[in-house]
Amino acid sequence: MFFPPQWLNDLLPSAVDKPTQHDVAATLIFMVLLVIARALVKRSVLRRSDLSVEVKRRWLVTLRNMWLLLFLAGLLFIWGRELQTLAVSLVAIAAALVLATKEMIMCLMGSIYRTSTHAFSVGDRIEFNKLKGQVVDTNVLSFTVAESSYASAQQGTVGRVVTIPNSLLLANPVFNETRLGQFVMHTVHVRIARYDDWQAAESVLLAAGQQAIVSYERELALHAQEQQNMQVLNALVLEPRVRIDLEELDSIAFQLQLPVPLGQRAKVEQAVLREFLRQRSPVLAEAAQHSQ
């Protein structure tokens, strides 16, 4: 077993344990011997007069590479036990860091997913996890959505700004309404009593929808043609259409589907509903008089 000289023990700090002192001494002696051996071999090669310059250069390059390999192999042999302990410690530290920063790592992965798939960008209108709104900011950890101003029966507070972590992108789908242009299909729900004249109500609702799209009919036609050429899509729906739902026994539900500009869903829906009520008011008043 190798024992370092006394002067080396005095030179090393007392906090270093004996095995480490032995490894340090063995490393120094190994390096000195390796350097001396390399110098002797190099000198011997350069003194050979029977070798050409190209052969000498080739031998010197081979000598340098072999010296480097021997140096690394010697260090691994001498410090093998310490390197194994260090590797185990590094693995434990890495595992602890992963557990501690799991959410941050998932947010970074979500950011990579959003960027690589072009799911959405600033200015797009999206629907995510039952939240609708416009994207106003994105970064590596989260994205910010300005909630849509559309109010429903279940949600009265609108106009909020919501910050969502990117990690949720890995488990929830994103509906991008802006991906195919500046128009989307919107559905207006209307319900009437089962005994009402459903054909007249359907005609009034369809006429209200047709009247609502008159103001942007030209832009809608240009948009449909552009999307059909660029996205290789089937012809988009340009006219309102009504679907009937009879799930309820005492009522008839109408679903008016019509294209609307982005950001104007609430405005168009209110215009349709107001026109529908205005046209239906005389009919409802007359039906009430007959019922009396």
Side-chain angles (χ1 to χ4, degrees), residues 58-276:
R58 189 181 307 115
W59 279 32
L60 291 178
V61 171
T62 303
L63 174 64
R64 183 189 61 192
N65 296 334
M66 290 182 62
W67 182 87
L68 180 60
L69 291 177
L70 289 175
F71 177 72
L72 294 177
L75 289 182
L76 289 176
F77 179 77
I78 296 173
W79 296 92
R81 184 180 67 256
E82 286 75 7
L83 291 176
Q84 183 179 3
T85 304
L86 178 62
V88 173
S89 302
L90 291 177
V91 169
I93 294 174
L97 288 176
V98 169
L99 291 177
T101 60
K102 176 182 177 182
E103 289 299 325
M104 183 174 295
I105 293 175
M106 292 187 65
C107 288
L108 293 175
M109 295 299 296
S111 177
I112 296 174
Y113 165 77
R114 184 194 69 231
T115 305
S116 60
T117 59
H118 305 285
F120 58 85
S121 57
V122 175
D124 289 353
R125 292 183 177 272
I126 65 172
E127 179 179 351
F128 179 76
N129 203 16
K130 298 182 180 180
L131 173 70
K132 293 182 179 181
Q134 185 176 17
V135 180
V136 295
D137 186 25
T138 60
N139 54 56
V140 295
L141 297 179
S142 64
F143 61 97
T144 305
V145 176
E147 191 179 9
S148 174
S149 59
Y150 178 76
S152 62
Q154 294 81 18
Q155 178 179 324
T157 303
V158 294
R160 301 174 296 186
V161 176
V162 185
T163 301
I164 304 172
N166 289 331
S167 58
L168 296 180
L169 292 173
L170 301 176
N172 297 279
V174 179
F175 302 92
N176 192 336
E177 298 177 350
T178 319
R179 195 67 177 269
L180 294 180
Q182 298 299 316
F183 287 87
V184 294
M185 293 300 298
H186 182 59
T187 303
V188 179
H189 299 271
V190 175
R191 191 179 297 274
I192 64 174
R194 180 61 69 95
Y195 58 80
D196 284 349
D197 187 353
W198 66 270
Q199 292 180 329
E202 179 185 16
S203 299
V204 172
L205 183 60
L206 189 59
Q210 292 172 346
Q211 180 178 346
I213 68 173
V214 169
S215 59
Y216 54 85
E217 188 174 10
R218 176 179 174 81
E219 292 81 359
L220 177 61
L222 294 176
H223 163 76
Q225 185 63 38
E226 179 182 355
Q227 292 300 315
Q228 189 173 354
N229 295 335
M230 294 179 57
Q231 305 290 345
V232 195
L233 299 174
N234 295 329
L236 301 178
V237 178
L238 302 180
E239 295 293 333
R241 56 187 180 184
V242 177
R243 298 178 59 186
I244 299 177
D245 186 2
L246 298 177
E247 291 185 359
E248 300 292 336
L249 296 177
D250 57 347
S251 63
I252 301 175
F254 296 101
Q255 300 173 0
L256 173 66
Q257 296 180 336
L258 73 164
V260 299
L262 285 173
Q264 298 186 24
R265 287 187 173 190
K267 179 181 178 181
V268 174
E269 180 172 333
Q270 289 297 310
V272 170
L273 293 177
R274 291 176 187 277
E275 180 63 21
F276 176 78

